[in-house]
Amino acid sequence: GNITVGGSGKTPFTIMLAKLLSQHIPKKFLIAIHSYTSKEKDIPITAKLKRERISDEALLMYNNLSPYKIHIYIASNKKKAI
């Protein structure tokens, strides 16, 4: 189907899929997100990054995926980030 905006479950699905893949694929990977509400751009999310400078979605992904060693990158251009 088509990708929709707002409330269709894309973020929870991405978190679930990333956790599942990390258990079955021995390689490191990252998720590049484009966040309209983050004040930071083109930067990986780390524990040292101030929480008020990133979006709720980016923080949710970081909190859920950092234990799995999955990196989240806030990108102004996702194609260039990859």
Side-chain angles (χ1 to χ4, degrees):
N2 293 332
I3 297 295
T4 60
V5 177
S8 62
K10 295 181 300 291
T11 299
F13 177 78
T14 301
I15 291 170
M16 183 272 311
L17 182 61
K19 286 179 179 179
L20 182 68
L21 289 174
S22 73
Q23 295 169 357
H24 297 286
I25 298 174
K27 296 184 179 194
K28 293 181 181 179
F29 60 97
L30 68 81
I31 296 173
I33 63 170
H34 181 79
S35 178
Y36 294 99
T37 59
S38 290
K39 295 175 184 170
E40 299 289 344
K41 300 287 185 208
D42 300 320
I43 188 168
I45 299 175
T46 65
K48 294 179 181 180
L49 191 61
K50 294 183 180 186
R51 301 296 180 244
E52 64 271 5
R53 302 212 35 96
I54 60 176
S55 69
D56 292 341
E57 177 187 26
L59 184 59
L60 178 69
M61 292 183 112
Y62 174 77
N63 287 339
N64 279 276
L65 297 175
S66 61
Y68 293 85
K69 307 291 188 227
I70 299 170
H71 303 283
I72 310 299
Y73 189 85
I74 301 171
S76 57
N77 184 320
K78 289 190 280 186
K79 286 183 181 179
K80 288 183 181 179
I82 295 171

